[in-house]
Amino acid sequence: MADIERTLVIVKPDGVQRGLTGEIVNRFERRGLKIVAMRFGTIDAALAKKHYAEHEGKPFYAGLVDYITSGPSLVMVLEGPKAIEITRSTVGSTRPWEAAPGTIRADYGLTVGRNLVHASDSVASGEREVGLFFEGEELPSWSRDTDRWVYDE
Ligand code: IDP
Ligand code: MG
């Protein structure tokens, strides 16, 4: 199998409030990524701070923690070849005004503080973030009958 990676993706509270969860999941699913975990609920402050630890001390950090904990999110783990880059390119640049047309952030977003989606930025962050949100049986390993039509070896 070629470079199978796992990434943590979050439809943030603005995406949920705006009724875009299905639309956003659909973009990843139709691209060919496989869902291996999914949970809906409000992220608590302790978990949010761990998740965004790299941003501690930055001017937007407090607002970021408030934003991500402000209501329910849809948290998922997606798997596939080059899943990190594939997911990031589907999501688009952090600042929606810089995101390429056709990406989620360009199609639905205007400001960096309401940019709809989180996606892990490296294989190492993916492993760390998946481990913060899910464990063991919550991450089933399953083979999809269509995989050989979705990607080659
Ligand atoms: P990413 O989500 O594209 O990986 P990061 O730089 O890791 O972007 O920032 C994490 C999140 O913090 C962003 O998605 C955004 O919600 C928020 N953020 C980043 N920079 C700013 C800012 O300058 N003002 C407000 N929020 C920001
Ligand atoms: Mg990031």
Side-chain angles (χ1 to χ4, degrees):
M1 299 259 184
D3 293 322
I4 301 297
E5 300 170 356
R6 282 184 169 181
T7 182
L8 187 89
V9 172
I10 305 175
V11 181
K12 296 176 179 181
D14 51 332
V16 171
Q17 293 287 342
R18 292 174 59 190
L20 294 171
T21 50
E23 168 63 30
I24 289 169
V25 172
N26 186 37
R27 289 182 177 224
F28 299 118
E29 209 176 19
R30 75 185 184 193
R31 192 151 180 193
L33 293 169
K34 186 159 71 182
I35 298 167
V36 295
M38 193 174 270
R39 183 164 69 234
F40 184 80
T42 301
I43 298 170
D44 67 33
L47 181 54
K49 286 176 183 170
K50 280 188 208 161
H51 174 68
Y52 280 130
E54 65 174 301
H55 297 300
E56 201 180 338
K58 294 182 186 170
F60 60 84
Y61 177 71
L64 175 57
V65 172
D66 283 349
Y67 166 40
I68 201 75
T69 59
S70 62
S73 295
L74 184 67
V75 186
M76 71 198 100
V77 178
L78 302 177
E79 184 182 274
K82 300 251 183 241
I84 297 288
E85 285 176 70
I86 295 275
T87 304
R88 295 278 295 187
S89 66
T90 300
V91 168
S93 300
T94 306
R95 298 170 186 81
W97 62 91
E98 293 173 355
T103 62
I104 296 165
R105 285 169 169 168
D107 286 356
Y108 299 106
L110 295 172
T111 68
V112 67
R114 295 289 182 272
N115 64 359
L116 297 144
V117 192
H118 167 82
S120 307
D121 65 5
S122 66
V123 172
S125 330
E127 283 171 8
R128 186 186 77 86
E129 293 171 3
V130 168
L132 285 177
F133 285 86
F134 297 97
E135 58 181 6
E137 290 172 4
E138 294 176 316
L139 292 160
S141 207
W142 61 288
S143 64
R144 192 171 53 183
D145 291 350
T146 51
D147 278 348
R148 70 195 179 98
W149 301 110
V150 179
Y151 59 87
D152 62 357
E153 302 297 302

